[in-house]
Amino acid sequence: MPSSPTPSERERSDAEAKAREKEEQAKLPYKWTQTIKDLEIAVPVAGNLRGKDIEVVMTKTKLKVAVKGQTPAIDGDLTQAIKVDESAWTLETVGGGGKEVSIHLDKSNKMEWWDAVVTNAEYKIDTSKIVPENSKLGDLDGQTRGMVEKMMYDQRQKEMGKPTSEEEGKMEMLKKFQAQHPEMDFSNAKMS
């Protein structure tokens, strides 16, 4: 039975995978980054082009980016759906006299990382290695925010040696039961 890798072997393996991933991504005809909420894509084009020379077709599930009359830099089904009304593209001048098509895609599912822009991308990234940026509680939806606040409260209570919200609920239930049944002896009652 093979043994699991040592921490140094795992580190080396991760570093090799990251270097290979970086090399593969550099071969793509575009650069892209993402947050949990959106994607930013930059497609380099010649500096003499204007917006009318660029073809960008963006739907909820597809993306095509090309200089008219040329092979598209991106053409395929998106990895996940986007919000088309919240997504946009511009043609921007960059250093060295070049330009780039800058594309902002607003993710429909803001809880999932993408391994590629389009499903037919030649190279994919390992989303399990993504370290997300810190987010603010205000960025979360109501249900998720409530869950995170409860977890934070419970953690603080544990650190102070006090009961968690669940334990407080059980104690409150016991108090109500005791009040309703004063004839019963609860001196040896244990909560688990």
Side-chain angles (χ1 to χ4, degrees):
M1 183 170 162
S3 63
S4 57
T6 65
S8 62
E9 290 172 332
R10 199 173 312 117
E11 253 180 55
R12 189 179 71 246
S13 172
D14 286 350
E16 288 169 0
K18 190 171 188 166
R20 183 180 66 251
E21 191 174 274
K22 187 175 182 178
E23 189 179 302
E24 290 172 350
Q25 291 296 308
K27 293 177 185 175
L28 293 171
Y30 55 90
K31 302 281 179 246
W32 69 287
T33 58
Q34 68 179 313
T35 67
I36 198 71
K37 295 179 173 186
D38 53 27
L39 268 78
E40 299 295 333
I41 307 164
V43 182
V45 295
N48 64 338
L49 296 177
R50 297 175 47 181
K52 67 181 182 176
D53 302 317
I54 308 297
E55 178 185 10
V56 177
V57 179
M58 205 182 305
T59 70
K60 185 176 180 174
T61 58
K62 294 185 183 298
L63 179 65
K64 178 180 178 182
V65 181
V67 173
K68 288 182 180 169
Q70 296 182 16
T71 304
I74 304 172
D75 189 11
D77 292 330
L78 292 166
T79 301
Q80 300 283 334
I82 61 165
K83 294 180 179 177
V84 179
D85 292 344
E86 302 296 322
S87 301
W89 71 275
T90 58
L91 181 62
E92 300 177 6
T93 302
V94 292
K99 290 187 177 178
E100 70 181 19
V101 179
S102 180
I103 304 157
H104 170 84
L105 300 179
D106 197 60
K107 295 178 180 179
S108 287
N109 179 351
K110 298 189 184 305
M111 300 299 285
E112 203 165 328
W113 296 104
W114 293 19
D115 63 355
V117 175
V118 285
T119 57
N120 63 348
E122 194 171 343
Y123 305 107
K124 312 231 183 239
I125 63 169
D126 181 356
T127 57
S128 69
K129 302 291 185 204
I130 293 176
V131 178
E133 72 280 358
N134 289 333
S135 59
K136 299 176 187 81
L137 279 176
D139 294 343
L140 303 173
D141 64 74
Q143 182 180 6
T144 306
R145 181 178 176 161
M147 193 169 28
V148 170
E149 286 176 340
K150 179 183 179 292
M151 289 167 49
M152 290 169 59
Y153 173 81
D154 287 346
Q155 185 63 35
R156 280 193 305 272
Q157 290 292 94
K158 280 184 184 176
E159 288 171 0
M160 294 186 297
K162 295 181 177 179
T164 64
S165 56
E166 189 175 317
E167 292 166 340
E168 286 175 340
K170 287 179 181 178
M171 290 182 345
E172 189 62 38
M173 205 181 322
L174 178 61
K175 282 181 188 174
K176 285 180 183 176
F177 190 77
Q178 286 174 326
Q180 292 170 351
H181 301 281
E183 73 280 0
M184 297 179 78
D185 177 21
F186 291 95
S187 58
N188 293 322
K190 295 205 182 246
M191 297 296 289
S192 60

